[in-house]
């Protein structure tokens, strides 16, 4: 119930291509879906997030698509650049003991080749 | 800019030792979290604290405890370190009061237990 399933585990995309990372969940109590980006040697940082009452959110080259009925959401990176090479985590927010926590997917390691 | 500082970047300890991982944040955040990050397993929540002297178990609390005596400091304690606790440990903080307040992560402590 608390799981967020993320795929693929790793992804290689050519420069200028589209990177797509998918996540799925079961728990309908999840009410907020952020994506975090992590560069080697650094902690994850918030990239973009969406609420379940919105089907799409776009920030620059990054777009989240959200399908509430299918309980799936995905991150699209348009015109992928070598600087986008990082590990990406999807996450979902829920209440635990009355407090807000995030459950993370297992991560996707993205490599954008020059 | 929020800064979350983890006292050690790398730590090597022996099996059975008591280990303290320290985390300090400078933005007066109420909420603090400890995650561990393992390849293929993503980020898993160990413990979290919503206020001083308050603590709640996450998904994998076994073998760990925490201490939050001051608002800015959240310590993770391995009572008797074991080799299966070799991992990257990430501390995070967030401002309470808003569901979409992001997690701010430190750069992690890589712990090796031999």
């Amino acid at each position: 119930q608390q799981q967020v399933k993320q795929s693929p585990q790793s992804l290689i995309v050519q420069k200028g291509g589209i990177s797509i990372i998918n996540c799925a969940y079961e728990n309908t109590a999840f009410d907020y879906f952020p994506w975090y980006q992590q560069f080697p040697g650094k902690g994850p940082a918030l990239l973009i997030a969406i609420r379940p009452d919105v089907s799409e959110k776009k920030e620059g080259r990054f777009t989240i698509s959200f399908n509430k009925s299918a309980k799936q959401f995905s991150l699209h990176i348009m015109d992928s650049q070598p600087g986008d090479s990082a590990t990406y985590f999807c996450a979902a927010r829920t209440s635990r003991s009355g407090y807000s926590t995030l459950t993370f997917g297992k991560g996707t390691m993205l490599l954008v080749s020059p | 800019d929020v800064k979350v500082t983890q006292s050690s970047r790398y730590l090597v300890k022996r099996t059975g030792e008591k280990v303290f991982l320290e985390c300090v944040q400078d933005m007066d955040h109420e909420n603090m979290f400890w995650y561990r990050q393992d390849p293929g397993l993503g980020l898993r929540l160990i413990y979290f604290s919503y206020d001083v002297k308050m603590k709640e178990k996450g998904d994998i609390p076994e073998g760990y405890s925490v201490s939050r005596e001051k608002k800015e400091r959240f310590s993770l304690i391995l009572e008797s370190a074991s080799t299966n606790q070799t991992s990257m440990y990430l501390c995070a903080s967030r401002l309470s009061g808003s569901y979409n307040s992001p997690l701010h992560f430190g750069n992690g402590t890589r712990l090796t237990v031999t």
Side-chain angles (χ1 to χ4, degrees):
Chain A
Q1 278 286 44
Q2 286 290 92
Q3 279 189 328
V4 178
K5 295 182 180 178
Q6 183 172 348
S7 63
Q9 191 171 351
S10 63
L11 183 61
I12 301 174
V13 172
Q14 285 202 328
K15 180 182 175 182
I18 302 173
S19 304
I20 302 174
I21 304 170
N22 300 299
C23 286
Y25 64 97
E26 288 296 325
N27 187 352
T28 54
F30 288 147
D31 61 3
Y32 177 67
F33 301 87
W35 286 85
Y36 281 75
Q37 179 188 52
Q38 183 182 30
F39 293 107
K42 301 292 185 183
L46 178 66
L47 179 64
I48 187 173
I50 197 167
R51 289 174 52 164
D53 54 350
V54 175
S55 61
E56 184 176 282
K57 183 171 182 182
K58 185 175 181 179
E59 288 183 2
R61 295 183 295 106
F62 300 91
T63 300
I64 301 177
S65 297
F66 190 85
N67 186 329
K68 189 173 182 178
S69 60
K71 290 185 277 188
Q72 295 175 347
F73 58 111
S74 59
L75 176 69
H76 296 237
I77 306 174
M78 311 300 288
D79 185 27
S80 298
Q81 298 297 311
D84 297 330
S85 298
T87 300
Y88 292 82
F89 294 96
C90 62
R93 190 198 85 100
T94 189
S95 193
R96 190 196 297 258
S97 303
Y99 300 106
S100 172
T101 62
L102 289 182
T103 297
F104 286 87
K106 294 184 177 181
T108 296
M109 194 175 299
L110 171 65
L111 177 65
V112 181
S113 59
Chain B
D1 224 14
V2 177
K3 193 165 184 185
V4 178
T5 303
Q6 296 185 231
S7 55
S8 304
R9 187 77 180 98
Y10 298 96
L11 212 50
V12 179
K13 296 291 182 181
R14 292 184 182 270
T15 301
E17 276 194 82
K18 189 169 186 176
V19 181
F20 293 86
L21 302 184
E22 306 288 348
C23 175
V24 177
Q25 50 94 2
D26 67 356
M27 282 301 291
D28 205 34
H29 285 175
E30 293 85 358
N31 310 154
M32 297 189 74
F33 304 80
W34 276 105
Y35 286 87
R36 65 177 280 178
Q37 180 176 9
D38 299 287
L41 295 178
L43 301 169
R44 293 179 292 166
L45 182 63
I46 305 171
Y47 265 97
F48 63 101
S49 169
Y50 260 65
D51 207 342
V52 177
K53 296 192 186 293
M54 173 267 173
K55 61 184 178 184
E56 288 285 341
K57 293 179 180 178
D59 295 316
I60 51 164
E62 296 78 18
Y64 303 94
S65 63
V66 290
S67 173
R68 184 125 182 246
E69 295 296 317
K70 293 186 177 181
K71 191 175 186 180
E72 67 271 19
R73 186 179 297 271
F74 191 34
S75 303
L76 180 69
I77 303 158
L78 286 66
E79 296 290 341
S80 177
S82 64
T83 55
N84 63 13
Q85 293 178 309
T86 291
S87 186
M88 171 68 82
Y89 290 88
L90 290 164
C91 175
S93 72
R94 70 185 283 271
L95 197 61
S96 83
S98 174
Y99 76 94
N100 61 352
S101 176
L103 286 176
H104 296 269
F105 284 90
N107 288 332
T109 295
R110 184 166 293 282
L111 173 67
T112 301
V113 182
T114 61

